[in-house]
Amino acid sequence: MKKDESNRGWKHRLHEIIYEADTPAGKFFDILLFILILVSVVLVMLESVKEIDIKYHNILLVCEWIVTIFFTIEYIARIIAVKKPWKYIFSFYGVIDFLSTIPLYVSYLFAGSQVLLAFRAFRLLRIFRILKLVKYIGEASQLRAALIASRTKIAVFIYVVLILSVIMGTIMYLIESDEAGFTSIPRSIYWTIVTLTTVGYGDIAPQTNLGQFIATVIMILGYGIIAVPTGIVTVEFSRAGKDQLNKRTPGFVHTNTQACPSCASEGHRDDATHCYSCGDAL
Amino acid sequence: MKKDESNRGWKHRLHEIIYEADTPAGKFFDILLFILILVSVVLVMLESVKEIDIKYHNILLVCEWIVTIFFTIEYIARIIAVKKPWKYIFSFYGVIDFLSTIPLYVSYLFAGSQVLLAFRAFRLLRIFRILKLVKYIGEASQLRAALIASRTKIAVFIYVVLILSVIMGTIMYLIESDEAGFTSIPRSIYWTIVTLTTVGYGDIAPQTNLGQFIATVIMILGYGIIAVPTGIVTVEFSRAGKDQLNKRTPGFVHTNTQACPSCASEGHRDDATHCYSCGDAL
Amino acid sequence: MKKDESNRGWKHRLHEIIYEADTPAGKFFDILLFILILVSVVLVMLESVKEIDIKYHNILLVCEWIVTIFFTIEYIARIIAVKKPWKYIFSFYGVIDFLSTIPLYVSYLFAGSQVLLAFRAFRLLRIFRILKLVKYIGEASQLRAALIASRTKIAVFIYVVLILSVIMGTIMYLIESDEAGFTSIPRSIYWTIVTLTTVGYGDIAPQTNLGQFIATVIMILGYGIIAVPTGIVTVEFSRAGKDQLNKRTPGFVHTNTQACPSCASEGHRDDATHCYSCGDAL
Amino acid sequence: MKKDESNRGWKHRLHEIIYEADTPAGKFFDILLFILILVSVVLVMLESVKEIDIKYHNILLVCEWIVTIFFTIEYIARIIAVKKPWKYIFSFYGVIDFLSTIPLYVSYLFAGSQVLLAFRAFRLLRIFRILKLVKYIGEASQLRAALIASRTKIAVFIYVVLILSVIMGTIMYLIESDEAGFTSIPRSIYWTIVTLTTVGYGDIAPQTNLGQFIATVIMILGYGIIAVPTGIVTVEFSRAGKDQLNKRTPGFVHTNTQACPSCASEGHRDDATHCYSCGDAL
């Protein structure tokens, strides 16, 4: 029984260090982790620059191994420290942590495993935890709330924009010649979206007078259409902001950086005694 | 008399399947139709890619025939199921359905009939019916209401932008040489709109110092002008949103996906007993 | 005395036809004038297209002469019909009318007189009068009111953007080489504004890593900065809209298309008995 | 004692001329200074244009010396006129004034000192003082207040955009070939930001079908994302505007152009008797 308690003791302590940022050790761990995540992302970038990779290949590989080993230990520790490991493993951060750890191991098995390196950047989202500023989390959740509230409107809007792009792309394909770059309908639709979103690369550009006239119409449409998502989001922000002013608003409560010792879910209320996700005591 | 009743019976049933999405058969028909519309649009795209068209020409043609035959049957069924067929035939969806069906037939008569293929994309708008989510229809109608309310303001705005483009285009034509791409006033106006809407292809770009200075002025103008439609739409959204909060707002009622058995018009109120368009009982 | 009266009579009638759009003759004149303005603008465009100018040079010249003669007669009639001609001659529309009329005459004297052709486009602004829709004038004046109200804010904003462009342009000139297109500071400033306004031609683009990094910073800045004018104008629109809802708002009264018989100024209140500009009876 | 008083007298007078704009001499000094700042910025630009620099090198150098000597005198006078010189020297304007003065001196010592010329443009910000329009300062401070209020939201937003750019850039690097311009991950990230902000140079553009598809997704994302900062700033403007309407708002008071004779800090309240920064009597 004593063993069980001491066992629970070091697990509890591990949990505090890894998942929380209230103790000095927890804060130190979080900052160290963030620096290593940053280093891992920079490593991926440097390896992709040919001149640097040729010159410093061995140094980069050693750094990559150090990061990978730390990530491996951290990943295993996270699983051990949580009571219900599967909840963590299949959570958003659990999957990201796994995919950020394995690329180096997998690279010895498969050639195309570098794709997984892109997932490392997702780990940078942990900064919001590390900053440990409830303010930032509040702002982020307010942004998210406004975006979620305008979700259906934006979905309808994007769908209509896509249909418009297909129609306009087909028309442009029929008008413009292959020389101008409109070699197929998918490519013409690509051009239409490039124009409608006012990106305008110029790799494909209309040459005929009729094509240029329709391009003009698409541009003015795009110029006007951009007003729609802006209008939607602004109105939602305005509402979300007003809600926040009323302190007793049901939708918004203060949350802290505490993580559930069972399932590692975050964003608990300040006065919470049980996890909102698995029901275990905090 | 009995025959007439049974006749009305199967017509009524056909109407329910084709025009409504409340029964399982109606829902199945709508989903099947949407998949076929998607397939028809993808077919048009694939045919335009030369390499694919050469390799799989026969398969594509067979698929195209299957889609066309289904569309033909559906079009005829729609006419039969409605009491007042002409109302459907000359409605927005009626014209789109017709133009989406005929391209393959017409291609044996005229060469340039592929233009009609672009109309198929319009059929994708039916998804709002199929999703059968009053919420989506509500959002779409709110978007439309805000756009309609800001119609005159946007018309005034676009007209002023066009006059500005003509003036600026003429000035740039006089300043810049042919080598820079400003070969005629229409082309210079095209460039002005490309610049004013911040698309910026770069196929035509000013070379002289004076031309670049005026281009700078146009860009900053365009940068500021984009604020105008955004401001208009945002204010209208804000109003539309406030209206919606008041439940007894006269302009907004809940509508369902039921279609009039006589004229096939949609968007009836939940408590409607007669069609708002032709007056027949629903 | 009788002669003076009849004199005043036809002058009054001429004034009604030319300056107002309430009588059938006035309306007909306005529509005819608008069509001729449109034709004159299209003529300028067509003349600039080399192939068309070579083929149809004589036809275009004849049309140009017809338009010019009509414009000349109209301009003289406008001066005669107004009691205080100088007020009209030096008004915005008076100057535009003069500059739109003379290019053909001046082209026999000076070579570079085509510049004046650009002023014709300004005449298209008369459409707001012709449409004679108080609604449109109301919308336009509401737009104008919002823009005027946000004038100082936008001036401050543009000034700060320009200073930023000069600083960033100088830095980019020092970093990037001549080969990339950054041949002088003015040209680098031009590139900075092209980037900051998200136009992005691509005729000048950074090549070095440091240059690309700074370009990235400028882009994200520009992306964020665009929010500022939008925010300003939206808030002003919102206010202007609220003002309009209160019918007794001091700043907004209904105006009509009547023009002062003395000085031809427009936009009189519905209940006005004297011109707000020269004090003569309407 | 008399000497001390007269000493204090001319120092006080110098302070009035240099730091304030209420007396005619102060106003004249401010306008002269602004013209010289403008001249200094134009000189830097002209020197960078090779053709002009070759032709008028000596004239430009003389002008540069005149400006530099005036700036030097002004800088020394500013230090003398203030009671606590160190506060001025290490203030924002103090550093800018110093960096704007030294480039010509330093150019005889180091080659790369032209970088300092970019700081001259910052001096143009003094115009807000010279215009001496409390209105402009009010507008500027309102703009600043709105931007400061939305600071955390915008920081969260930019951070998320950067993570997204790293992820998308890595994916595009893996998909696209070197020929299309995606030679390394940093360069792919640069392309992603160029696309996401709708700048779209076109120097790097996807060639493969998959790459173009992902580019399309990035564009539509960027098109939607631009709504977020706009929404944030608009809501903050709206609030700042409402605050200003309440005359007794605690956050906003009228300020004048008076500068503290001890530490040269600006923006004192109209009714202030002591400096808010160093506590000395004004």
Coordinates of all heavy atoms in Angstrom, one line a residue, chain C residues 10-61:
Chain C
W10 N -38.1 81.8 -72.6 CA -37.4 80.7 -73.3 C -36.1 80.4 -72.5 O -35.7 79.2 -72.5 CB -37.1 81.0 -74.8 CG -36.1 82.1 -75.1 CD1 -36.3 83.4 -75.4 CD2 -34.6 81.9 -75.1 NE1 -35.2 84.1 -75.6 CE2 -34.1 83.2 -75.4 CE3 -33.8 80.9 -74.8 CZ2 -32.7 83.4 -75.5 CZ3 -32.4 81.1 -74.9 CH2 -31.9 82.4 -75.3
K11 N -35.5 81.4 -71.8 CA -34.4 81.1 -71.0 C -34.8 80.1 -69.8 O -34.1 79.2 -69.5 CB -33.8 82.3 -70.4 CG -32.7 82.9 -71.2 CD -31.9 83.9 -70.3 CE -30.7 84.5 -71.1 NZ -30.0 85.5 -70.3
H12 N -35.9 80.4 -69.3 CA -36.5 79.6 -68.2 C -36.7 78.2 -68.7 O -36.4 77.2 -68.0 CB -37.8 80.2 -67.7 CG -38.3 79.5 -66.4 ND1 -37.7 79.7 -65.2 CD2 -39.3 78.6 -66.3 CE1 -38.3 79.0 -64.3 NE2 -39.3 78.3 -64.9
R13 N -37.3 78.1 -69.9 CA -37.6 76.8 -70.5 C -36.3 76.0 -70.8 O -36.2 74.8 -70.5 CB -38.4 77.0 -71.8 CG -39.0 75.7 -72.2 CD -40.2 75.8 -73.1 NE -40.2 74.6 -74.0 CZ -40.4 73.4 -73.5 NH1 -40.5 73.2 -72.2 NH2 -40.4 72.3 -74.3
L14 N -35.3 76.7 -71.3 CA -34.0 76.1 -71.6 C -33.4 75.6 -70.3 O -32.9 74.5 -70.3 CB -33.1 77.2 -72.3 CG -31.8 76.7 -72.9 CD1 -32.1 75.8 -74.1 CD2 -30.9 77.8 -73.3
H15 N -33.5 76.4 -69.3 CA -33.0 76.0 -68.0 C -33.6 74.7 -67.5 O -33.0 73.8 -67.0 CB -33.2 77.1 -67.0 CG -32.6 76.8 -65.6 ND1 -33.3 76.2 -64.7 CD2 -31.4 77.0 -65.1 CE1 -32.5 76.0 -63.6 NE2 -31.4 76.5 -63.9
E16 N -34.9 74.7 -67.7 CA -35.7 73.5 -67.2 C -35.2 72.3 -68.0 O -35.1 71.2 -67.4 CB -37.2 73.7 -67.5 CG -38.0 73.5 -66.2 CD -39.5 73.9 -66.5 OE1 -40.0 73.4 -67.5 OE2 -40.0 74.7 -65.8
I17 N -35.1 72.4 -69.3 CA -34.7 71.2 -70.1 C -33.3 70.8 -69.8 O -33.0 69.6 -69.5 CB -34.7 71.6 -71.6 CG1 -36.2 71.8 -72.1 CG2 -34.1 70.5 -72.5 CD1 -36.4 72.4 -73.4
I18 N -32.3 71.7 -69.7 CA -30.9 71.4 -69.5 C -30.6 70.9 -68.1 O -30.0 69.9 -67.9 CB -30.0 72.5 -70.0 CG1 -30.2 72.8 -71.4 CG2 -28.5 72.1 -69.7 CD1 -29.3 73.9 -72.0
Y19 N -31.1 71.8 -67.1 CA -30.6 71.5 -65.8 C -31.6 70.6 -64.9 O -31.1 70.1 -63.9 CB -30.4 72.9 -65.0 CG -29.2 73.6 -65.5 CD1 -29.3 74.6 -66.4 CD2 -28.0 73.2 -65.0 CE1 -28.1 75.3 -66.8 CE2 -26.8 73.8 -65.4 CZ -26.9 74.9 -66.3 OH -25.8 75.5 -66.7
E20 N -32.8 70.5 -65.4 CA -33.7 69.7 -64.5 C -34.2 68.4 -65.3 O -34.0 68.3 -66.5 CB -34.9 70.5 -64.1 CG -34.5 71.3 -62.8 CD -35.4 72.6 -62.6 OE1 -36.6 72.4 -62.5 OE2 -34.8 73.7 -62.6
A21 N -34.7 67.5 -64.6 CA -35.1 66.3 -65.2 C -36.6 65.9 -64.8 O -37.0 64.8 -64.8 CB -34.2 65.1 -64.8
D22 N -37.3 66.9 -64.4 CA -38.7 66.7 -64.0 C -39.7 66.7 -65.1 O -40.7 65.9 -65.1 CB -39.1 67.7 -62.9 CG -38.2 67.7 -61.7 OD1 -38.1 66.6 -61.1 OD2 -37.6 68.7 -61.3
T23 N -39.4 67.4 -66.2 CA -40.3 67.5 -67.3 C -39.9 66.4 -68.3 O -38.7 66.0 -68.3 CB -40.2 68.9 -68.0 OG1 -38.8 69.1 -68.4 CG2 -40.7 70.0 -67.1
P24 N -40.8 66.0 -69.2 CA -40.4 65.0 -70.2 C -39.3 65.4 -71.1 O -38.3 64.7 -71.4 CB -41.7 64.8 -71.1 CG -42.8 65.2 -70.2 CD -42.2 66.3 -69.3
A25 N -39.3 66.7 -71.5 CA -38.2 67.3 -72.4 C -36.9 67.2 -71.6 O -35.9 66.9 -72.1 CB -38.6 68.7 -72.8
G26 N -37.0 67.6 -70.3 CA -35.7 67.6 -69.5 C -35.2 66.2 -69.4 O -34.0 65.9 -69.5
K27 N -36.1 65.2 -69.2 CA -35.7 63.8 -69.0 C -35.1 63.3 -70.3 O -34.0 62.6 -70.3 CB -36.9 63.0 -68.7 CG -36.5 61.6 -68.2 CD -37.5 61.0 -67.2 CE -36.8 60.0 -66.3 NZ -37.7 59.5 -65.2
F28 N -35.7 63.6 -71.5 CA -35.2 63.2 -72.8 C -33.8 63.8 -73.0 O -32.9 63.0 -73.5 CB -36.2 63.6 -73.9 CG -35.7 63.4 -75.2 CD1 -35.7 62.1 -75.8 CD2 -35.1 64.4 -76.0 CE1 -35.2 61.9 -77.1 CE2 -34.6 64.1 -77.3 CZ -34.7 62.9 -77.8
F29 N -33.7 65.1 -72.7 CA -32.4 65.7 -72.9 C -31.3 65.0 -72.1 O -30.2 64.7 -72.6 CB -32.5 67.2 -72.5 CG -31.1 67.9 -72.5 CD1 -30.6 68.4 -73.7 CD2 -30.4 68.0 -71.4 CE1 -29.4 69.0 -73.8 CE2 -29.1 68.6 -71.4 CZ -28.6 69.1 -72.6
D30 N -31.6 64.7 -70.8 CA -30.7 64.1 -69.9 C -30.2 62.7 -70.4 O -29.0 62.4 -70.4 CB -31.2 64.0 -68.5 CG -31.0 65.2 -67.7 OD1 -30.3 66.1 -68.2 OD2 -31.4 65.3 -66.5
I31 N -31.2 61.9 -70.9 CA -30.9 60.6 -71.4 C -30.0 60.7 -72.6 O -29.0 60.0 -72.8 CB -32.2 59.7 -71.6 CG1 -32.8 59.4 -70.2 CG2 -31.9 58.5 -72.4 CD1 -34.2 58.9 -70.3
L32 N -30.4 61.5 -73.6 CA -29.7 61.8 -74.8 C -28.2 62.2 -74.5 O -27.3 61.6 -75.0 CB -30.3 62.9 -75.7 CG -29.6 63.2 -77.0 CD1 -29.8 62.1 -78.0 CD2 -30.1 64.5 -77.6
L33 N -28.1 63.1 -73.5 CA -26.8 63.6 -73.1 C -26.0 62.4 -72.6 O -24.8 62.2 -72.9 CB -26.9 64.7 -72.1 CG -25.6 65.2 -71.5 CD1 -24.8 65.8 -72.6 CD2 -25.9 66.2 -70.4
F34 N -26.6 61.6 -71.7 CA -25.8 60.5 -71.1 C -25.4 59.5 -72.2 O -24.2 59.0 -72.1 CB -26.7 59.7 -70.1 CG -25.9 58.7 -69.3 CD1 -24.9 59.1 -68.5 CD2 -26.1 57.4 -69.5 CE1 -24.1 58.2 -67.8 CE2 -25.3 56.4 -68.9 CZ -24.3 56.8 -68.0
I35 N -26.2 59.2 -73.2 CA -25.8 58.3 -74.3 C -24.6 58.9 -75.0 O -23.7 58.2 -75.3 CB -27.0 58.0 -75.2 CG1 -28.1 57.2 -74.5 CG2 -26.6 57.3 -76.5 CD1 -29.4 57.1 -75.1
L36 N -24.7 60.2 -75.3 CA -23.6 60.8 -76.0 C -22.3 60.8 -75.2 O -21.2 60.7 -75.8 CB -24.0 62.3 -76.4 CG -24.7 62.4 -77.7 CD1 -25.5 63.7 -77.9 CD2 -23.8 62.2 -78.9
I37 N -22.4 61.0 -73.9 CA -21.2 60.9 -73.1 C -20.6 59.6 -73.1 O -19.4 59.4 -73.3 CB -21.6 61.3 -71.6 CG1 -22.0 62.8 -71.5 CG2 -20.4 61.0 -70.7 CD1 -22.5 63.2 -70.1
L38 N -21.5 58.5 -73.0 CA -21.0 57.2 -73.2 C -20.3 56.9 -74.5 O -19.2 56.4 -74.5 CB -22.2 56.2 -73.0 CG -22.4 55.5 -71.7 CD1 -23.5 54.5 -71.8 CD2 -21.1 54.8 -71.3
V39 N -21.0 57.4 -75.6 CA -20.4 57.3 -76.9 C -19.0 57.9 -77.0 O -18.1 57.4 -77.5 CB -21.4 57.8 -78.0 CG1 -20.7 58.0 -79.3 CG2 -22.6 57.0 -78.1
S40 N -19.0 59.2 -76.4 CA -17.7 59.9 -76.5 C -16.6 59.1 -75.7 O -15.4 59.1 -76.2 CB -17.9 61.3 -75.9 OG -17.9 61.2 -74.4
V41 N -16.9 58.5 -74.6 CA -15.9 57.7 -73.9 C -15.5 56.5 -74.7 O -14.3 56.2 -74.8 CB -16.4 57.3 -72.5 CG1 -15.5 56.4 -71.8 CG2 -16.6 58.6 -71.6
V42 N -16.5 55.8 -75.3 CA -16.2 54.6 -76.1 C -15.3 55.0 -77.3 O -14.4 54.3 -77.6 CB -17.5 53.9 -76.5 CG1 -17.2 52.8 -77.5 CG2 -18.2 53.3 -75.3
L43 N -15.6 56.2 -77.9 CA -14.8 56.6 -79.0 C -13.4 56.8 -78.7 O -12.5 56.4 -79.4 CB -15.4 58.0 -79.5 CG -16.6 57.9 -80.5 CD1 -17.0 59.3 -80.8 CD2 -16.2 57.2 -81.8
V44 N -13.1 57.4 -77.5 CA -11.7 57.6 -77.0 C -11.0 56.3 -76.9 O -9.9 56.1 -77.3 CB -11.7 58.4 -75.7 CG1 -10.3 58.5 -75.1 CG2 -12.3 59.8 -75.9
M45 N -11.8 55.3 -76.4 CA -11.2 54.0 -76.2 C -10.9 53.3 -77.5 O -9.8 52.8 -77.7 CB -12.2 53.1 -75.4 CG -12.3 53.4 -74.0 SD -13.3 52.1 -73.2 CE -13.7 52.9 -71.7
L46 N -11.8 53.4 -78.5 CA -11.6 52.7 -79.8 C -10.5 53.3 -80.5 O -9.7 52.6 -81.1 CB -12.9 52.8 -80.6 CG -14.1 51.9 -80.1 CD1 -15.3 52.1 -81.0 CD2 -13.7 50.5 -79.9
E47 N -10.4 54.7 -80.5 CA -9.3 55.4 -81.2 C -7.9 54.9 -80.7 O -6.9 54.9 -81.4 CB -9.4 56.9 -81.0 CG -10.4 57.5 -81.8 CD -10.8 58.9 -81.4 OE1 -9.9 59.6 -80.9 OE2 -12.0 59.3 -81.5
S48 N -7.9 54.5 -79.4 CA -6.6 54.1 -78.9 C -6.2 52.6 -79.3 O -5.0 52.3 -79.2 CB -6.6 54.1 -77.3 OG -7.3 53.0 -76.8
V49 N -7.1 51.9 -79.8 CA -6.8 50.5 -80.3 C -6.3 50.6 -81.7 O -7.1 51.0 -82.6 CB -8.0 49.6 -80.2 CG1 -7.6 48.1 -80.6 CG2 -8.6 49.6 -78.8
K50 N -5.0 50.4 -81.9 CA -4.4 50.6 -83.2 C -5.1 50.0 -84.4 O -5.5 50.7 -85.4 CB -2.9 50.1 -83.2 CG -1.9 51.2 -83.0 CD -1.2 51.0 -81.7 CE -1.3 52.1 -80.7 NZ -0.9 51.8 -79.4
E51 N -5.4 48.7 -84.3 CA -6.1 48.0 -85.4 C -7.4 48.7 -85.8 O -7.7 48.9 -87.0 CB -6.4 46.5 -85.1 CG -5.2 45.8 -84.6 CD -5.1 45.9 -83.1 OE1 -5.9 45.3 -82.4 OE2 -4.1 46.5 -82.6
I52 N -8.2 49.1 -84.8 CA -9.5 49.7 -85.1 C -9.3 51.1 -85.7 O -9.9 51.5 -86.6 CB -10.3 49.7 -83.8 CG1 -10.7 48.3 -83.3 CG2 -11.6 50.6 -84.0 CD1 -11.4 48.2 -82.0
D53 N -8.3 51.8 -85.1 CA -8.1 53.2 -85.6 C -7.7 53.2 -87.0 O -8.1 54.1 -87.8 CB -7.0 53.9 -84.7 CG -6.9 55.4 -85.0 OD1 -8.0 56.0 -85.1 OD2 -5.8 55.9 -85.0
I54 N -6.8 52.3 -87.4 CA -6.4 52.2 -88.8 C -7.5 51.9 -89.8 O -7.7 52.6 -90.8 CB -5.2 51.1 -89.0 CG1 -4.0 51.6 -88.3 CG2 -5.0 50.8 -90.4 CD1 -2.9 50.6 -88.0
K55 N -8.3 50.9 -89.4 CA -9.5 50.5 -90.3 C -10.6 51.5 -90.4 O -11.0 51.8 -91.5 CB -10.1 49.2 -89.7 CG -9.6 47.9 -90.4 CD -10.5 46.8 -90.0 CE -10.1 45.4 -90.5 NZ -10.7 44.3 -89.8
Y56 N -11.0 52.1 -89.2 CA -12.2 52.9 -89.2 C -11.9 54.4 -88.8 O -12.7 55.1 -88.3 CB -13.2 52.4 -88.2 CG -13.5 50.9 -88.4 CD1 -13.0 49.9 -87.5 CD2 -14.3 50.5 -89.4 CE1 -13.3 48.6 -87.7 CE2 -14.6 49.2 -89.6 CZ -14.1 48.2 -88.8 OH -14.4 46.9 -89.0
H57 N -10.7 54.8 -89.2 CA -10.2 56.2 -88.8 C -11.2 57.2 -89.1 O -11.6 58.1 -88.3 CB -8.9 56.5 -89.4 CG -8.3 57.8 -88.9 ND1 -7.8 57.9 -87.6 CD2 -8.3 59.1 -89.4 CE1 -7.4 59.2 -87.4 NE2 -7.7 59.9 -88.5
N58 N -11.7 57.2 -90.4 CA -12.6 58.3 -90.8 C -14.0 58.3 -90.1 O -14.5 59.3 -89.7 CB -12.8 58.2 -92.3 CG -11.6 58.6 -93.1 OD1 -10.8 59.5 -92.6 ND2 -11.3 58.0 -94.2
I59 N -14.5 57.1 -89.9 CA -15.8 56.9 -89.2 C -15.7 57.5 -87.8 O -16.5 58.2 -87.3 CB -16.3 55.5 -89.2 CG1 -16.5 54.9 -90.6 CG2 -17.6 55.3 -88.4 CD1 -16.6 53.4 -90.7
L60 N -14.6 57.1 -87.1 CA -14.4 57.5 -85.8 C -14.3 59.0 -85.7 O -14.8 59.7 -84.8 CB -13.1 56.9 -85.2 CG -13.2 55.4 -84.9 CD1 -11.8 54.8 -84.5 CD2 -14.2 55.1 -83.8
L61 N -13.6 59.6 -86.7 CA -13.4 61.1 -86.7 C -14.7 61.8 -86.9 O -15.0 62.8 -86.2 CB -12.4 61.5 -87.8 CG -11.8 62.9 -87.7 CD1 -10.9 63.0 -86.5 CD2 -11.1 63.3 -89.0

